[in-house]
Amino acid sequence: MRTVHVQKIVDEVARLCQEACYDLPPDVLKAIEAASSSEKSPLGQGILAKLVENAYLASRERVPCCHDTGIAAVFLEIGQDVHLTGGSLHEAVQEGVRRGYREGCLRKSVVGDPLLRVNTGDNTPAVVHTEIVDGDRITLSVLPKGGGSENMSALSFLLPGEGAGGVKKFVLDTVKNAGGKACPPLVVGVGIGGTFDYVALLAKKALLRRIGTYNKQPHLARLEMELLELINKTGIGPLGLGGSNTALWVAVESFGAHITALPVAVNLQCHAARRKLCTI
Amino acid sequence: MATHRLITPLLDADIEKLHSGDEVLLTGPIYTARDAAHKRLLELLEKKRELPVDLRGQVIYYSGPCPPKPGQVIGSAGPTTAYRMDLFTPAMLEYGVKGTIGKGPRLEKVREACVRYRAVYLAGIGGASALLAKTVKKADIVAYEDLGTEAVHRLEVEDFPLIVAYDIYGGDIYSEGIGKYKEI
């Protein structure tokens, strides 16, 4: 049994929130740079070049690369041999978000009630996912999720007979419907299988995967490649103004499903595909 | 595509020169307003009451900035998705707003309102918020301070980079641009 004080969680969540918003992950920056050289539209080339310049500037000056510093999605994989002490884990995560957003001059973009709509002023509540895993370590991931792309995400129950072709059509329709609203070039997280709740989580978890890493299952890796190629033929382009780079990456995660069901969820992520993780 | 250097408030002669796809470098005062501020502004317009700021002839920037760090004029500030304001935009243009800045395509009624009221919709570079904040030379809250990031700010910008999305001739860069590069 390994003991971890929850203050460590507070400190690490606060740090990850800030670093995620200031520093675009290197794989994402590299993908935007590659898109900038391959882009066919002159307008799109100019936009992508500015996005690269923006990312370097934000990182250098320790300021958010995008003003929408999101609602914080926090993923905790907690080893079953870890014993947390010193207080509530969930309160520690919220306190970490509160501190990270305040001290980092990040925008507070969360309302406490979706209908009454009063800003909580500290970016809480964060959405927290905890999972018990083997071992005695904690993996902590923070994904500040912007509203523009999240709003254009979608979920559907296809007929099992529709298969991979149906999945491709649904993903493509979701991307086309989002157009410029979701700030392309996108990272597209796709969940297939599970249940109503779980398929959406799979799609979100897909966004944690590094660009350039395919799904380990060959048929899903092939699906990722085919989807990326199809999406980049839609012509939507950078910021939806037309061009050959609509997605930087497509990541698919899957799970078993009921014999009657083929659930699919598409979680769109804008080009500011921020995420930061650490192991405690 | 042409590049235009323009100064706010925009004159009819400026707006007539702009065509979808043109690039614009904008200098002068612009006003931020997004979901919550629009709701309040529209309530006043409907009651035929004065707005807290005279926005006739002005440009509205759909943006909610980050808090500034010490020494900054403004925190990172980029355009937000414009279609959320579509509900309010025709009435704002009828009132006299001459330009809106946001990102992403909008409803047909906004494109039509741009033609009818001789106003433009300008696309900002979504996500380039650190870079765009550098073009802001002065920032003051002028209304609805209680809304925090959603308050109405008066920003003095210099060479703020934009792309004409909807012009007064019915042009729409989103459908035109995608049409050009679409392969499926």
Side-chain angles (χ1 to χ4, degrees):
Chain A
M1 188 66 75
R2 186 166 156 261
T3 300
V4 175
H5 196 284
V6 291
Q7 186 57 43
K8 182 73 179 161
I9 306 282
V10 177
D11 296 343
E12 288 299 78
V13 169
R15 178 178 69 85
L16 295 180
C17 287
Q18 295 179 32
E19 290 182 3
C21 290
Y22 300 163
D23 306 311
L24 215 49
D27 55 305
V28 176
L29 185 52
K30 218 171 103 190
I32 298 174
E33 284 174 325
S36 172
S37 10
S38 74
E39 178 53 50
K40 289 180 188 160
S41 147
L43 201 56
Q45 285 165 12
I47 288 165
L48 292 166
K50 281 218 164 59
L51 292 179
V52 170
E53 192 186 340
N54 180 69
Y56 282 111
L57 175 71
S59 189
R60 199 170 57 237
E61 300 202 348
R62 311 313 291 154
V63 296
C65 64
C66 180
H67 63 276
D68 186 354
T69 48
I71 183 165
V74 181
F75 294 82
L76 291 147
E77 290 179 6
I78 304 166
Q80 64 185 20
D81 298 328
V82 174
H83 179 213
L84 287 155
T85 59
S88 149
L89 168 67
H90 282 274
E91 186 37 49
V93 173
Q94 301 298 343
E95 180 55 26
V97 168
R98 205 171 280 131
R99 217 181 79 193
Y101 275 72
R102 186 182 64 238
E103 291 175 0
C105 286
L106 309 182
R107 195 180 76 176
K108 321 306 179 285
S109 314
V110 176
V111 294
D113 180 289
L115 295 177
L116 303 177
R117 306 206 72 78
V118 179
N119 196 310
T120 58
D122 61 8
N123 224 57
T124 65
V127 177
V128 185
H129 298 284
T130 49
E131 203 178 322
I132 303 296
V133 298
D134 293 343
D136 64 357
R137 301 274 146 189
I138 300 172
T139 304
L140 190 55
S141 309
V142 173
L143 192 146
K145 192 63 177 70
S149 54
E150 190 76 355
N151 281 339
M152 304 314 292
S153 300
L155 192 156
S156 180
F157 276 79
L158 306 182
L159 301 175
E162 291 180 84
V167 171
K168 279 193 232 172
K169 183 176 182 304
F170 181 65
V171 174
L172 214 54
D173 286 348
T174 304
V175 169
K176 282 186 194 165
N177 181 49
K181 293 173 190 145
C183 268
L186 308 167
V187 176
V188 182
V190 182
I192 312 174
T195 48
F196 186 75
D197 53 324
Y198 199 63
V199 73
L201 182 59
L202 289 174
K204 174 126 296 117
K205 275 189 168 176
L207 298 178
L208 291 173
R209 206 190 314 151
R210 281 167 55 93
I211 291 181
T213 309
Y214 289 102
N215 191 299
K216 286 194 183 77
Q217 298 189 66
H219 71 292
L220 295 179
R222 194 162 56 243
L223 182 62
E224 290 171 343
M225 284 180 220
E226 288 168 0
L227 277 170
L228 184 60
E229 199 182 326
L230 281 171
I231 291 168
N232 284 329
K233 283 184 177 170
T234 57
I236 294 167
L239 299 182
L241 298 167
S244 51
N245 284 281
T246 303
L248 300 170
W249 194 249
V250 179
V252 177
E253 294 294 339
S254 79
F255 194 78
H258 191 274
I259 48 174
T260 62
L262 177 50
V264 185
V266 183
N267 198 188
L268 298 182
Q269 168 65 59
C270 63
H271 55 72
R274 296 153 290 182
R275 57 179 140 73
K276 186 92 190 178
L277 66 85
C278 76
T279 305
I280 298 168
Chain B
M1 301 292 180
T3 300
H4 310 269
R5 284 194 120 87
L6 297 179
I7 291 170
T8 59
L10 296 180
L11 306 173
D12 278 344
D14 297 326
I15 288 174
E16 284 164 12
K17 284 189 287 193
L18 302 179
H19 291 87
S20 56
D22 285 357
E23 295 187 49
V24 170
L25 292 170
L26 195 66
T27 297
I30 59 175
Y31 294 85
T32 68
R34 40 183 292 153
D35 312 61
H38 269 82
K39 193 159 176 277
R40 292 189 187 178
L41 293 171
L42 257 290
E43 277 166 12
L44 292 175
L45 283 183
E46 276 166 11
K47 290 179 193 156
K48 304 209 179 315
R49 300 251 296 271
E50 288 268 303
L51 301 190
V53 193
D54 189 350
L55 294 172
R56 281 169 294 194
Q58 302 297 343
V59 175
I60 293 185
Y61 180 22
Y62 305 141
S63 182
C66 287
K69 284 201 161 180
Q72 275 190 315
V73 174
I74 195 169
S76 297
T80 195
T81 317
Y83 82 98
R84 293 199 317 274
M85 269 54 75
D86 286 0
L87 204 60
F88 311 112
T89 302
M92 292 299 282
L93 301 187
E94 185 182 7
Y95 155 77
V97 167
K98 280 308 203 183
T100 54
I101 298 172
K103 68 176 172 81
R106 316 185 60 172
L107 290 179
E108 184 60 15
K109 68 175 184 183
V110 173
R111 196 180 62 87
E112 287 167 6
C114 285
V115 176
R116 188 174 323 127
Y117 303 115
R118 300 174 69 75
V120 283
Y121 167 44
L122 305 165
I125 302 168
S129 312
L131 200 61
L132 295 178
K134 293 272 182 198
T135 69
V136 179
K137 303 303 167 191
K138 195 165 178 288
D140 297 295
I141 292 178
V142 290
Y144 307 146
E145 192 162 3
D146 61 299
L147 293 179
T149 185
E150 296 207 55
V152 177
H153 298 70
R154 183 182 190 274
L155 308 181
E156 291 274 355
V157 296
E158 202 174 286
D159 286 340
F160 184 50
L162 299 159
I163 295 142
V164 180
Y166 299 171
D167 59 29
I168 60 167
Y169 309 103
D172 165 11
I173 186 63
Y174 292 101
S175 56
E176 292 154 16
I178 293 170
K180 222 182 279 179
Y181 295 96
K182 195 175 164 176
E183 292 177 56
I184 51 166

